[in-house]
Amino acid sequence: MASKCFCEEDFSCPVCCEIFKDPVLLSCTHSVCKDCIHRFWESKGAQECPVCRRRSSKEHPPVNLALKNLCESFLQERSERSSSVCHLHNEKLKLFCLDDQQPVCVVCRDSRTHNNHKFCPVNEAVEDNKEKLSAALKPLQEKLRIFEKFKQNLDKTAEHIKIQSRSTETQIHEEFEKLHQLLHDEESARIRALREEEEQKSQMMKEKIEKINRDISSLSHTIRGVEEQMTAEDVSFLQCGASDPENISGMMINVAKHLSNLKFTVIHKMKDNVQYTPVTLDPNTAHCKLLVSDDMMSVRFSEEASELIPENPERYRDSVYVVGSESLRSGIHCWDVQVGNNTDWCLGVKTDSAKRNNSGNLSWLSLLRRKCFYLKYHTGEYTAVGTPRECLSLSVKAQRIRVELDCDKGNLSFSDPLTNTHIHTFTHTFRGFFPFFSVTSNICPLVILPVKKHT
């Protein structure tokens, strides 16, 4: 090893007298620290060796790798040697003081500093401490694993935010393109109607002008005849005459028809051509096995959990739920859901305080505490879950369910709008409840049906 062949002076720089740091080899074979030689040359104003004063031919001398490796080995060995030797007595640290929790030598053991202290061999103390560190390391490793998993989810969330933003921007463009198209179509229809009216009335005016021209020509001819007859002595000229031309109303363009309340009329007409959904879904709350449509009006079940969707506090993990985008606090709210032939679904309302990351197999008492009220259909049986839980009997399987919430009266009703059949009504103080949906059969999606928005 380096310590057996060399002493500390062999590894010392001739300029700083410290152990070499990045030693470089001069052309005269002497070695100097890289920083030291550059400072020395700057102060001297010449590229001389600080040992033999010979001029160096290289402005950037090469690194002395062999010496650098030897210096690193020497420093490491010196560090190990100093850490295993008592700095007071220069004896090996063979014992460990259990009272002071520090390694000591045999001389320290007999000193007054460690009088009546308990000792054990260093190797035993090392083993004991390794076991303690190993025990302490496990929870730290588990916490590190949790932090790494959390960071992975944060990275996934950051990427998902970009995907959500791009997707939402695309949908905004598409929706406005549809509105632009509606406006363009309405503009074209109105311009077309204006052109048709212009053409119709221009043709009428053309015919009228041609007729009046013929009347003028005939009248001019009659005038000339009358003037000739005026020289005669008979009274025949008294018998000639012509009717006056008639003014016809409605010949001008009906500007009022085309421009009166144009903006209001167009907007009102657009409302009749666009869909309004009383409830829209919040995709950020959807369980990973529920896929919400881009228009947030339908949800379907998928057996394959999506690994692309990151975990977030709003998302349900244990319950296969998705909730509406807005809470219902007052007034009357009604929405129809097309359930189709699905064999397992739930529709209702729940409070936001109901925790989202718990077991989906809850008793009706647990649901009561969590304030969930819903109609459940499972393998041909209907159940009203809330206060109380009640099994229901329907003569005809419902394809569509109407949910009506009257926050002011405190009623939540379920009915079949196709057969006009009442199913069940809950009575409760409904304030701040969210519509919620669940489907665990993949036959077809649950679809919130649009309605006409009356102005």
Side-chain angles (χ1 to χ4, degrees), residues 122-137:
V122 166
N123 58 345
E124 290 183 7
V126 168
E127 289 300 322
D128 292 342
N129 277 282
K130 281 183 179 180
E131 291 178 3
K132 292 178 182 178
L133 287 174
S134 179
L137 188 61

Side-chain angles (χ1 to χ4, degrees), residues 286-291 299-306 309 316 320 439:
H287 185 274
C288 62
K289 290 188 178 182
L290 292 180
L291 302 179
V299 58
R300 64 183 179 87
F301 179 79
S302 174
E303 283 289 353
E304 298 178 359
S306 176
I309 299 177
Y316 288 94
V320 188
V439 57

Side-chain angles (χ1 to χ4, degrees), residues 398-410:
Q399 295 288 312
R400 184 179 299 181
I401 299 295
R402 175 166 293 168
V403 185
E404 187 169 354
L405 175 64
D406 190 333
C407 297
D408 301 327
K409 291 184 177 180

Side-chain angles (χ1 to χ4, degrees), residues 188-199:
S188 299
R190 289 180 172 272
I191 295 295
R192 188 163 55 253
L194 175 62
R195 293 284 182 259
E196 289 174 356
E197 184 179 357
E198 178 191 12
E199 184 178 353

